[in-house]
Amino acid sequence: MPILKEVSGYIYPNEIELHWGILIVVYPYLTGLVAGAFILASLVKIFNVREVQATYRMALLTALAFLIVSPLPLLTHLGHPEKSFEIFLTPNTKSAMAMFGFVYAWYLMAVLLLEIWFDYRRDIILWEKKESGIKKWFHKLITLFSSDASEQSLTFDRKAIKLITIIGIPSAFLLHGYVGFIFGSIKANPWWSSVLMPIVFLFSAIVSGIALVLLIYMVVTPMRGKEIDMACLNKLASYLFYVMIIDFSLEALDFIHRIYESEESIHILSELVMGKLFVSLIVIQLLIGMIVPLLAIAGVKLFKAPDELRKQVYFLSALLVQVGIFSTRWNVVIGGQLFSKSFSGLTAYKMTFLGLEGLLMSLFLLLLPFIILYVLFRVLPPWEEMREAQ
Protein backbone atom coordinates (compact mmCIF):
# COMPACT_ATOMS: atom_id res chain seq x y z
CA MET A 1 0.00 0.00 0.00
CA PRO A 2 1.46 3.44 -0.95
CA ILE A 3 0.21 4.93 2.33
CA LEU A 4 2.55 2.61 4.29
CA LYS A 5 5.47 4.80 3.18
CA GLU A 6 4.05 7.65 5.25
CA VAL A 7 3.36 5.61 8.39
CA SER A 8 5.81 6.26 11.21
CA GLY A 9 6.39 4.24 14.37
CA TYR A 10 4.09 1.36 15.27
CA ILE A 11 0.47 1.39 14.25
CA TYR A 12 -2.22 -1.29 14.26
CA PRO A 13 -3.26 -2.65 10.83
CA ASN A 14 -6.86 -1.44 11.28
CA GLU A 15 -5.63 2.11 12.00
CA ILE A 16 -3.65 2.63 8.80
CA GLU A 17 -6.63 3.90 6.80
CA LEU A 18 -8.89 6.54 8.36
CA HIS A 19 -12.61 5.81 8.81
CA TRP A 20 -13.68 9.45 8.51
CA GLY A 21 -12.56 11.52 5.54
CA ILE A 22 -13.11 15.00 4.18
CA LEU A 23 -16.92 14.68 4.16
CA ILE A 24 -16.87 14.53 7.96
CA VAL A 25 -14.70 17.67 7.88
CA VAL A 26 -17.27 19.45 5.70
CA TYR A 27 -20.16 18.45 7.95
CA PRO A 28 -19.21 20.44 11.13
CA TYR A 29 -17.97 23.28 8.94
CA LEU A 30 -21.41 23.70 7.35
CA THR A 31 -23.35 23.35 10.61
CA GLY A 32 -21.08 25.95 12.16
CA LEU A 33 -21.92 28.45 9.43
CA VAL A 34 -25.64 27.87 10.11
CA ALA A 35 -25.30 28.57 13.81
CA GLY A 36 -23.06 31.60 13.31
CA ALA A 37 -25.29 33.23 10.70
CA PHE A 38 -28.41 32.75 12.82
CA ILE A 39 -26.78 34.16 15.96
CA LEU A 40 -25.70 37.22 13.96
CA ALA A 41 -29.30 37.68 12.76
CA SER A 42 -30.51 37.36 16.34
CA LEU A 43 -28.48 40.39 17.39
CA VAL A 44 -30.82 42.62 15.40
CA LYS A 45 -34.00 41.30 16.99
CA ILE A 46 -32.84 40.64 20.55
CA PHE A 47 -30.32 43.42 21.12
CA ASN A 48 -31.73 45.84 18.52
CA VAL A 49 -28.38 46.41 16.81
CA ARG A 50 -29.55 48.72 14.04
CA GLU A 51 -26.17 48.98 12.29
CA VAL A 52 -26.42 45.37 11.06
CA GLN A 53 -30.13 45.55 10.14
CA ALA A 54 -29.15 45.39 6.46
CA THR A 55 -27.75 41.88 6.98
CA TYR A 56 -30.65 40.48 9.07
CA ARG A 57 -32.63 38.81 6.31
CA MET A 58 -29.45 37.93 4.45
CA ALA A 59 -28.16 36.11 7.53
CA LEU A 60 -31.46 34.23 7.98
CA LEU A 61 -31.50 33.05 4.36
CA THR A 62 -27.81 32.14 4.59
CA ALA A 63 -28.52 30.02 7.65
CA LEU A 64 -31.40 28.31 5.81
CA ALA A 65 -29.35 27.59 2.67
CA PHE A 66 -26.54 26.03 4.67
CA LEU A 67 -28.92 24.19 6.98
CA ILE A 68 -30.57 22.45 4.01
CA VAL A 69 -27.16 21.13 2.90
CA SER A 70 -25.58 20.48 6.31
CA PRO A 71 -26.76 16.84 6.76
CA LEU A 72 -25.81 15.83 3.20
CA PRO A 73 -22.11 15.14 3.97
CA LEU A 74 -23.16 12.74 6.74
CA LEU A 75 -25.75 11.03 4.54
CA THR A 76 -23.27 10.75 1.68
CA HIS A 77 -20.67 9.28 4.01
CA LEU A 78 -23.12 6.69 5.38
CA GLY A 79 -24.05 5.55 1.88
CA HIS A 80 -27.72 4.83 2.61
CA PRO A 81 -29.51 8.19 2.96
CA GLU A 82 -32.91 6.48 2.73
CA LYS A 83 -32.27 4.89 6.13
CA SER A 84 -31.92 8.26 7.87
CA PHE A 85 -35.69 8.39 8.43
CA GLU A 86 -35.39 5.40 10.75
CA ILE A 87 -34.02 7.63 13.51
CA PHE A 88 -37.43 9.35 13.59
CA LEU A 89 -39.38 6.09 13.45
CA THR A 90 -37.32 4.32 16.12
CA PRO A 91 -35.75 7.13 18.17
CA ASN A 92 -32.78 6.15 20.30
CA THR A 93 -32.35 8.75 23.04
CA LYS A 94 -28.97 7.28 24.05
CA SER A 95 -27.42 8.04 20.67
CA ALA A 96 -26.08 11.58 20.35
CA MET A 97 -25.86 11.20 16.59
CA ALA A 98 -29.45 9.97 16.33
CA MET A 99 -30.70 12.85 18.45
CA PHE A 100 -29.12 15.23 15.96
CA GLY A 101 -31.98 14.35 13.62
CA PHE A 102 -34.44 15.81 16.11
CA VAL A 103 -32.27 18.86 16.79
CA TYR A 104 -31.98 19.43 13.05
CA ALA A 105 -35.74 19.05 12.44
CA TRP A 106 -36.53 21.35 15.35
CA TYR A 107 -34.10 24.01 14.20
CA LEU A 108 -35.24 23.84 10.56
CA MET A 109 -39.01 23.78 11.05
CA ALA A 110 -39.68 25.30 14.47
CA VAL A 111 -37.07 28.04 14.40
CA LEU A 112 -35.63 29.08 11.07
CA LEU A 113 -38.57 28.53 8.71
CA LEU A 114 -41.03 30.05 11.18
CA GLU A 115 -38.91 33.15 11.76
CA ILE A 116 -38.43 33.67 8.02
CA TRP A 117 -42.14 33.14 7.42
CA PHE A 118 -43.25 35.67 10.02
CA ASP A 119 -40.63 38.19 8.92
CA TYR A 120 -41.53 37.98 5.23
CA ARG A 121 -45.31 37.42 5.52
CA ARG A 122 -46.42 41.04 5.11
CA ASP A 123 -43.93 41.74 2.31
CA ILE A 124 -44.96 38.67 0.34
CA ILE A 125 -48.65 39.58 0.67
CA LEU A 126 -47.90 43.01 -0.80
CA TRP A 127 -45.60 41.58 -3.48
CA GLU A 128 -48.12 39.05 -4.73
CA LYS A 129 -50.75 41.78 -5.17
CA LYS A 130 -48.53 43.35 -7.85
CA GLU A 131 -47.51 40.07 -9.45
CA SER A 132 -49.13 37.70 -11.90
CA GLY A 133 -48.78 34.14 -13.14
CA ILE A 134 -46.66 31.51 -11.48
CA LYS A 135 -44.78 33.96 -9.23
CA LYS A 136 -48.04 35.30 -7.79
CA TRP A 137 -49.29 31.82 -6.99
CA PHE A 138 -45.94 30.76 -5.62
CA HIS A 139 -45.93 33.69 -3.20
CA LYS A 140 -49.55 32.96 -2.28
CA LEU A 141 -48.57 29.39 -1.50
CA ILE A 142 -45.62 30.24 0.76
CA THR A 143 -47.78 32.69 2.74
CA LEU A 144 -50.26 29.80 3.16
CA PHE A 145 -52.83 32.04 1.42
CA SER A 146 -52.66 34.56 4.25
CA SER A 147 -53.86 38.02 3.17
CA ASP A 148 -54.08 39.82 6.50
CA ALA A 149 -51.59 42.71 6.58
CA SER A 150 -53.40 44.70 9.26
CA GLU A 151 -51.49 46.42 12.06
CA GLN A 152 -52.88 43.91 14.53
CA SER A 153 -51.51 40.96 12.56
CA LEU A 154 -48.14 42.71 12.12
CA THR A 155 -47.91 43.26 15.86
CA PHE A 156 -48.49 39.53 16.32
CA ASP A 157 -45.78 38.79 13.71
CA ARG A 158 -43.26 40.99 15.51
CA LYS A 159 -43.96 39.33 18.85
CA ALA A 160 -43.71 35.89 17.25
CA ILE A 161 -40.36 36.75 15.64
CA LYS A 162 -38.95 37.93 18.95
CA LEU A 163 -40.14 34.81 20.76
CA ILE A 164 -38.78 32.49 18.06
CA THR A 165 -35.44 34.33 18.09
CA ILE A 166 -35.16 33.92 21.86
CA ILE A 167 -35.88 30.19 21.47
CA GLY A 168 -33.62 30.03 18.42
CA ILE A 169 -30.42 31.21 20.13
CA PRO A 170 -30.15 28.21 22.50
CA SER A 171 -31.27 26.02 19.59
CA ALA A 172 -28.39 27.34 17.49
CA PHE A 173 -26.02 26.72 20.40
CA LEU A 174 -27.38 23.18 20.68
CA LEU A 175 -27.10 22.54 16.95
CA HIS A 176 -23.38 23.19 16.81
CA GLY A 177 -22.47 22.51 20.42
CA TYR A 178 -23.66 18.95 19.98
CA VAL A 179 -21.06 18.37 17.21
CA GLY A 180 -18.33 19.30 19.64
CA PHE A 181 -20.14 17.24 22.27
CA ILE A 182 -19.85 14.10 20.13
CA PHE A 183 -16.11 14.56 19.61
CA GLY A 184 -15.52 15.59 23.22
CA SER A 185 -17.35 12.52 24.54
CA ILE A 186 -14.97 10.03 22.91
CA LYS A 187 -12.82 9.34 25.95
CA ALA A 188 -10.61 6.84 24.13
CA ASN A 189 -9.21 9.60 21.94
CA PRO A 190 -7.14 12.18 23.86
CA TRP A 191 -7.14 14.59 20.88
CA TRP A 192 -10.95 14.88 21.09
CA SER A 193 -11.70 14.15 24.74
CA SER A 194 -12.01 17.63 26.24
CA VAL A 195 -14.83 19.34 28.13
CA LEU A 196 -13.99 22.51 26.21
CA MET A 197 -14.62 20.88 22.83
CA PRO A 198 -18.35 21.85 22.53
CA ILE A 199 -17.59 25.45 23.57
CA VAL A 200 -14.64 25.75 21.18
CA PHE A 201 -16.82 24.38 18.37
CA LEU A 202 -19.56 26.83 19.22
CA PHE A 203 -17.44 29.97 19.23
CA SER A 204 -15.55 28.95 16.11
CA ALA A 205 -18.99 28.46 14.51
CA ILE A 206 -20.02 32.00 15.42
CA VAL A 207 -16.73 33.30 14.00
CA SER A 208 -17.25 31.49 10.70
CA GLY A 209 -20.92 32.56 10.43
CA ILE A 210 -20.19 36.25 10.97
CA ALA A 211 -17.29 36.12 8.51
CA LEU A 212 -19.50 34.43 5.90
CA VAL A 213 -22.29 37.00 6.17
CA LEU A 214 -19.70 39.79 5.95
CA LEU A 215 -18.28 38.24 2.78
CA ILE A 216 -21.71 37.76 1.18
CA TYR A 217 -22.70 41.32 2.05
CA MET A 218 -19.48 42.71 0.55
CA VAL A 219 -19.85 40.66 -2.65
CA VAL A 220 -23.59 41.02 -3.25
CA THR A 221 -23.97 44.73 -2.48
CA PRO A 222 -21.62 46.03 -5.24
CA MET A 223 -23.08 43.46 -7.67
CA ARG A 224 -26.48 45.08 -7.10
CA GLY A 225 -25.00 48.51 -7.82
CA LYS A 226 -25.41 49.65 -4.21
CA GLU A 227 -22.98 51.30 -1.81
CA ILE A 228 -21.63 49.28 1.08
CA ASP A 229 -22.83 50.66 4.41
CA MET A 230 -19.59 51.28 6.32
CA ALA A 231 -21.37 51.50 9.68
CA CYS A 232 -22.77 48.01 9.08
CA LEU A 233 -19.42 46.70 7.85
CA ASN A 234 -17.53 48.18 10.81
CA LYS A 235 -20.00 46.65 13.25
CA LEU A 236 -19.74 43.23 11.58
CA ALA A 237 -15.94 43.44 11.71
CA SER A 238 -16.09 44.43 15.39
CA TYR A 239 -18.27 41.41 16.21
CA LEU A 240 -15.93 39.20 14.23
CA PHE A 241 -12.93 40.59 16.12
CA TYR A 242 -14.46 40.15 19.59
CA VAL A 243 -15.68 36.59 18.98
CA MET A 244 -12.29 35.67 17.49
CA ILE A 245 -10.63 36.87 20.70
CA ILE A 246 -12.90 34.58 22.75
CA ASP A 247 -12.35 31.68 20.35
CA PHE A 248 -8.59 32.18 20.41
CA SER A 249 -8.60 32.33 24.24
CA LEU A 250 -10.61 29.11 24.52
CA GLU A 251 -8.36 27.24 22.11
CA ALA A 252 -5.27 28.51 23.94
CA LEU A 253 -6.80 27.45 27.28
CA ASP A 254 -7.52 23.98 25.91
CA PHE A 255 -3.95 23.70 24.59
CA ILE A 256 -2.39 24.87 27.88
CA HIS A 257 -4.59 22.48 29.85
CA ARG A 258 -3.42 19.53 27.77
CA ILE A 259 0.23 20.47 28.35
CA TYR A 260 -0.39 20.95 32.08
CA GLU A 261 -2.03 17.52 32.38
CA SER A 262 0.85 15.90 30.45
CA GLU A 263 -0.87 12.54 30.19
CA GLU A 264 0.79 9.60 28.48
CA SER A 265 -0.59 10.79 25.13
CA ILE A 266 1.22 14.14 25.25
CA HIS A 267 4.30 12.86 23.41
CA ILE A 268 2.41 11.47 20.42
CA LEU A 269 0.19 14.57 20.30
CA SER A 270 3.27 16.82 20.35
CA GLU A 271 4.76 14.75 17.53
CA LEU A 272 1.46 15.05 15.64
CA VAL A 273 1.29 18.84 16.04
CA MET A 274 4.92 19.46 15.14
CA GLY A 275 4.85 16.96 12.30
CA LYS A 276 1.81 15.99 10.23
CA LEU A 277 -0.39 18.86 11.47
CA PHE A 278 2.22 21.60 11.57
CA VAL A 279 1.12 23.30 8.35
CA SER A 280 -2.65 22.88 8.82
CA LEU A 281 -2.68 23.71 12.55
CA ILE A 282 0.19 26.09 13.29
CA VAL A 283 0.52 27.84 9.94
CA ILE A 284 -3.03 27.85 8.49
CA GLN A 285 -5.35 27.60 11.50
CA LEU A 286 -3.39 29.61 14.04
CA LEU A 287 -1.24 32.03 12.06
CA ILE A 288 -3.14 32.65 8.80
CA GLY A 289 -6.67 31.97 10.03
CA MET A 290 -6.51 33.63 13.44
CA ILE A 291 -3.54 35.87 14.28
CA VAL A 292 -3.24 37.65 10.91
CA PRO A 293 -6.98 38.58 10.72
CA LEU A 294 -6.96 39.69 14.36
CA LEU A 295 -3.95 41.94 13.84
CA ALA A 296 -5.29 43.27 10.54
CA ILE A 297 -8.72 44.23 11.92
CA ALA A 298 -7.17 45.68 15.07
CA GLY A 299 -4.72 47.69 12.93
CA VAL A 300 -7.31 49.38 10.70
CA LYS A 301 -9.49 50.23 13.69
CA LEU A 302 -6.63 51.47 15.86
CA PHE A 303 -5.10 53.68 13.16
CA LYS A 304 -8.48 54.81 11.79
CA ALA A 305 -7.73 53.62 8.26
CA PRO A 306 -9.76 55.07 5.34
CA ASP A 307 -12.90 53.23 4.26
CA GLU A 308 -11.44 51.72 1.09
CA LEU A 309 -8.54 50.18 3.00
CA ARG A 310 -10.93 48.93 5.66
CA LYS A 311 -13.06 47.19 3.07
CA GLN A 312 -10.06 45.39 1.65
CA VAL A 313 -8.78 44.38 5.07
CA TYR A 314 -12.20 43.17 6.25
CA PHE A 315 -12.75 41.15 3.08
CA LEU A 316 -9.31 39.54 3.19
CA SER A 317 -9.61 38.88 6.94
CA ALA A 318 -13.01 37.20 6.53
CA LEU A 319 -11.61 35.00 3.75
CA LEU A 320 -8.65 34.00 5.92
CA VAL A 321 -11.01 33.27 8.80
CA GLN A 322 -12.98 30.85 6.60
CA VAL A 323 -9.76 29.08 5.63
CA GLY A 324 -8.71 28.94 9.28
CA ILE A 325 -12.06 27.57 10.51
CA PHE A 326 -12.12 24.90 7.81
CA SER A 327 -8.59 24.01 8.84
CA THR A 328 -9.82 23.79 12.46
CA ARG A 329 -12.41 21.18 11.42
CA TRP A 330 -9.77 19.35 9.41
CA ASN A 331 -7.34 19.24 12.33
CA VAL A 332 -10.01 17.93 14.69
CA VAL A 333 -11.51 15.26 12.40
CA ILE A 334 -8.46 14.11 10.45
CA GLY A 335 -5.91 14.93 13.15
CA GLY A 336 -7.77 12.86 15.73
CA GLN A 337 -7.41 9.75 13.59
CA LEU A 338 -3.75 10.07 12.64
CA PHE A 339 -2.19 8.53 15.75
CA SER A 340 -2.33 4.96 16.99
CA LYS A 341 -4.30 3.94 20.08
CA SER A 342 -0.97 2.56 21.30
CA PHE A 343 0.44 6.15 21.16
CA SER A 344 3.41 4.70 19.30
CA GLY A 345 2.91 5.72 15.70
CA LEU A 346 1.29 7.99 13.15
CA THR A 347 -0.52 7.24 9.93
CA ALA A 348 -1.50 9.50 7.02
CA TYR A 349 -4.63 10.53 5.15
CA LYS A 350 -4.88 10.15 1.39
CA MET A 351 -7.78 12.01 -0.18
CA THR A 352 -9.23 10.82 -3.47
CA PHE A 353 -10.47 13.25 -6.13
CA LEU A 354 -13.49 11.29 -7.41
CA GLY A 355 -16.04 9.12 -5.59
CA LEU A 356 -18.53 9.79 -2.81
CA GLU A 357 -15.74 10.43 -0.29
CA GLY A 358 -13.61 12.48 -2.67
CA LEU A 359 -12.58 16.10 -3.06
CA LEU A 360 -14.97 16.74 -5.97
CA MET A 361 -18.03 15.69 -3.94
CA SER A 362 -16.85 17.85 -1.02
CA LEU A 363 -16.44 20.89 -3.27
CA PHE A 364 -19.94 20.29 -4.65
CA LEU A 365 -21.40 20.17 -1.13
CA LEU A 366 -19.54 23.38 -0.25
CA LEU A 367 -20.86 25.17 -3.35
CA LEU A 368 -24.42 23.83 -3.16
CA PRO A 369 -25.51 26.21 -0.31
CA PHE A 370 -24.48 29.21 -2.43
CA ILE A 371 -26.64 27.95 -5.32
CA ILE A 372 -29.58 27.52 -2.93
CA LEU A 373 -28.87 30.95 -1.46
CA TYR A 374 -28.98 32.51 -4.93
CA VAL A 375 -32.42 30.97 -5.50
CA LEU A 376 -33.61 32.19 -2.09
CA PHE A 377 -32.39 35.70 -2.88
CA ARG A 378 -34.45 35.59 -6.08
CA VAL A 379 -37.59 34.29 -4.38
CA LEU A 380 -37.29 36.22 -1.13
CA PRO A 381 -35.21 39.37 -1.80
CA PRO A 382 -33.59 40.35 1.51
CA TRP A 383 -32.76 43.88 0.44
CA GLU A 384 -33.89 46.76 2.63
CA GLU A 385 -35.28 48.78 -0.29
CA MET A 386 -37.65 45.93 -1.08
CA ARG A 387 -39.10 46.28 2.40
CA GLU A 388 -39.29 50.06 2.20
CA ALA A 389 -40.91 49.98 -1.24
CA GLN A 390 -44.06 48.34 0.12
Side-chain angles (χ1 to χ4, degrees):
M1 294 173 67
I3 198 171
L4 283 176
K5 295 177 183 175
E6 298 189 33
V7 172
S8 60
Y10 176 79
I11 196 159
Y12 295 121
N14 63 343
E15 295 174 329
I16 292 175
E17 290 191 8
L18 307 193
H19 299 292
W20 291 349
I22 190 169
L23 284 181
I24 306 302
V25 177
V26 172
Y27 164 63
Y29 176 70
L30 292 179
T31 57
L33 292 171
V34 175
F38 181 82
I39 290 169
L40 176 62
S42 303
L43 291 173
V44 178
K45 292 300 173 188
I46 301 298
F47 302 106
N48 199 26
V49 184
R50 297 196 177 277
E51 291 93 333
V52 294
Q53 174 70 45
T55 63
Y56 169 66
R57 285 182 165 183
M58 192 181 291
L60 281 181
L61 296 182
T62 301
L64 178 60
F66 280 81
L67 186 66
I68 291 170
V69 179
S70 65
L72 297 186
L74 266 185
L75 297 177
T76 307
H77 171 74
L78 293 174
H80 287 283
E82 75 280 2
K83 293 186 176 180
S84 62
F85 291 101
E86 293 182 10
I87 65 172
F88 298 106
L89 301 176
T90 57
N92 181 1
T93 56
K94 293 183 179 178
S95 168
M97 188 62 79
M99 293 312 293
F100 162 71
F102 292 93
V103 173
Y104 175 83
W106 162 264
Y107 193 81
L108 174 63
M109 292 186 285
V111 175
L112 205 47
L113 286 179
L114 270 182
E115 180 163 345
I116 291 172
W117 190 82
F118 277 113
D119 188 68
Y120 273 94
R121 194 184 67 83
R122 171 186 176 273
D123 294 328
I124 298 175
I125 290 171
L126 297 177
W127 290 342
E128 61 94 1
K129 286 180 180 175
K130 302 174 185 174
E131 295 166 345
S132 60
I134 296 176
K135 199 169 184 180
K136 180 183 182 74
W137 282 100
F138 178 74
H139 277 148
K140 270 182 174 291
L141 183 65
I142 59 178
T143 57
L144 303 179
F145 297 93
S146 168
S147 59
D148 186 0
S150 64
E151 189 55 39
Q152 187 179 7
S153 68
L154 297 181
T155 303
F156 179 83
D157 288 351
R158 284 191 286 270
K159 288 180 179 176
I161 291 170
K162 195 154 190 175
L163 177 63
I164 294 167
T165 307
I166 292 171
I167 296 171
I169 291 177
S171 301
F173 278 41
L174 189 61
L175 178 70
H176 200 67
Y178 114 92
V179 182
F181 172 83
I182 289 178
F183 285 107
S185 302
I186 302 176
K187 298 176 185 175
N189 191 317
W191 186 247
W192 293 336
S193 181
S194 167
V195 292
L196 285 176
M197 187 66 82
I199 306 172
V200 170
F201 259 67
L202 181 61
F203 276 92
S204 60
I206 300 173
V207 168
S208 64
I210 295 174
L212 178 66
V213 174
L214 188 149
L215 284 173
I216 292 173
Y217 177 69
M218 289 194 70
V219 170
V220 170
T221 305
M223 287 176 68
R224 297 174 49 241
K226 303 291 181 183
E227 283 289 324
I228 291 176
D229 182 352
M230 281 310 296
C232 174
L233 201 60
N234 285 328
K235 186 61 84 173
L236 286 174
S238 296
Y239 285 139
L240 180 62
F241 179 79
Y242 296 139
V243 182
M244 282 174 68
I245 290 285
I246 298 173
D247 185 38
F248 179 76
S249 304
L250 286 170
E251 290 188 31
L253 181 63
D254 184 43
F255 181 69
I256 293 169
H257 185 247
R258 288 173 190 274
I259 295 176
Y260 181 76
E261 278 189 324
S262 291
E263 292 184 344
E264 62 273 14
S265 60
I266 193 67
H267 296 295
I268 193 68
L269 295 185
S270 300
E271 190 177 337
L272 178 69
V273 170
M274 299 311 295
K276 293 181 182 292
L277 292 186
F278 182 80
V279 173
S280 62
L281 198 154
I282 303 296
V283 178
I284 300 178
Q285 178 185 331
L286 184 62
L287 185 62
I288 297 177
M290 185 71 74
I291 294 176
V292 170
L294 275 175
L295 292 177
I297 295 174
V300 294
K301 285 187 173 293
L302 193 63
F303 294 104
K304 302 186 186 308
D307 289 348
E308 282 305 312
L309 179 60
R310 284 186 180 226
K311 288 178 189 174
Q312 293 170 7
V313 168
Y314 292 160
F315 188 82
L316 184 60
S317 299
L319 269 182
L320 293 180
V321 164
Q322 292 301 332
V323 173
I325 295 298
F326 188 85
S327 186
T328 303
R329 310 301 183 225
W330 174 279
N331 292 323
V332 170
V333 176
I334 302 299
Q337 303 173 83
L338 289 180
F339 59 91
S340 169
K341 299 294 185 298
S342 65
F343 302 146
S344 303
L346 297 169
T347 185
Y349 172 56
K350 289 291 184 185
M351 182 168 49
T352 60
F353 181 73
L354 299 174
L356 288 178
E357 297 277 350
L359 177 63
L360 192 61
M361 174 58 76
S362 302
L363 291 175
F364 170 72
L365 292 173
L366 287 170
L367 288 175
L368 185 57
F370 292 100
I371 298 171
I372 296 173
L373 186 60
Y374 173 77
V375 175
L376 289 173
F377 281 175
R378 300 287 295 180
V379 176
L380 301 170
W383 329 124
E384 281 299 299
E385 65 269 19
M386 292 296 290
R387 193 197 297 258
E388 294 169 2
Q390 309 309 319

